[in-house]
Amino acid sequence: MEKIILFDLDGTLIDSTDAIVSTFYHTFEKLDFNFSGNEEDIKSLIGHPLDIMYQELGVPQEIVWDYVEAYKDRYKVISKQQTELLEFAKEAIELANTFARLSIVTTKTGLYSEQLLEHMDIKQYFEHVTGREHVEHPKPHPEPIHTTLDKMDIKETSDIWMIGDTELDLIAANGAGINSVGVLCGYGKEETLKEHTSFIASNSLEAVKLIKNISDL
């Protein structure tokens, strides 16, 4: 049976916390927004689309896209310097590549995601990168997963898995009718992840090993 593994990015394969947090503070200063929260408030929302993050942090909905635009302008400049692969991520990708076809499903902008993957010399392992601009409804909606599987021309009989660090990834997987593994190396809490999947791993490498072991049964 053909194996498919879809990876989330932030908190699953890469750590771009510094880039994200610093860019939020940059936009607040640039657009003169009196942000009353703290760094942990921003971190707790990583994985959601930018417009949702800004609204949750207090930015009025009618001006939220100004902040998103300012964010993208800044992020594309500093993201490569302030982002790194998580521990065991490269090993996870290399192992997964030995027995499965791989793609990325993220709420980050796909263009910047591809640039990061290329910068980290792992882009060649992935067939497709589905980002925020490629779908109308981002995770937790299943559309990004359906879109990715359509691009990959996946057979209905395929053994398909989503690996992600937040409930958004797992809810999307459930909605798309595929399997999932929650990883604890990112932003989600274990008790929350367990509400949406039976499979929890400490990091992406352990998640890939779990999928390989289950698939080999």
Side-chain angles (χ1 to χ4, degrees), residues 18-158:
D18 290 346
I20 293 170
V21 171
S22 69
T23 303
F24 266 88
Y25 277 109
H26 171 83
T27 60
F28 291 149
E29 181 177 353
K30 180 178 181 180
L31 297 175
D32 197 26
F33 177 71
N34 184 22
F35 177 52
S36 59
N38 56 42
E39 185 173 317
E40 293 306 314
D41 294 323
I42 299 172
K43 290 180 182 179
S44 71
L45 293 168
I46 293 176
H48 289 80
L50 288 171
D51 56 311
I52 300 299
M53 292 180 71
Y54 276 112
Q55 288 181 62
E56 289 292 324
L57 295 171
V59 174
Q61 183 177 3
E62 60 269 21
I63 59 172
V64 74
W65 292 106
D66 295 335
Y67 286 78
V68 172
E69 183 177 352
Y71 178 100
K72 290 181 177 181
D73 286 344
R74 170 69 173 175
Y75 187 80
K76 66 184 178 183
V77 174
I78 56 90
S79 59
K80 292 178 183 177
Q81 291 71 37
Q82 296 186 23
T83 302
E84 60 186 10
L85 278 173
L86 285 167
E87 188 177 15
F88 306 118
K90 184 70 176 293
E91 295 89 338
I93 296 164
E94 291 175 340
L95 176 59
N97 187 57
T98 65
F99 69 92
R101 296 170 58 193
L102 316 180
S103 284
I104 296 288
V105 180
T106 178
T107 52
K108 295 175 81 71
T109 301
L111 175 62
Y112 304 151
S113 298
E114 290 190 12
Q115 292 172 352
L116 283 172
L117 294 172
E118 190 168 355
H119 176 69
M120 296 174 177
D121 194 30
I122 55 174
K123 184 176 182 291
Q124 66 271 19
Y125 292 102
F126 302 102
E127 294 183 25
H128 297 283
V129 176
T130 300
R132 177 63 186 93
E133 74 271 37
H134 301 131
V135 297
E136 182 177 355
H137 305 290
K139 295 180 291 186
H141 195 283
E143 182 187 347
I145 291 176
H146 288 312
T147 297
T148 305
L149 297 178
D150 286 344
K151 289 178 181 177
M152 297 176 74
D153 193 24
I154 300 305
K155 303 179 182 66
E156 290 185 9
T157 56
S158 298

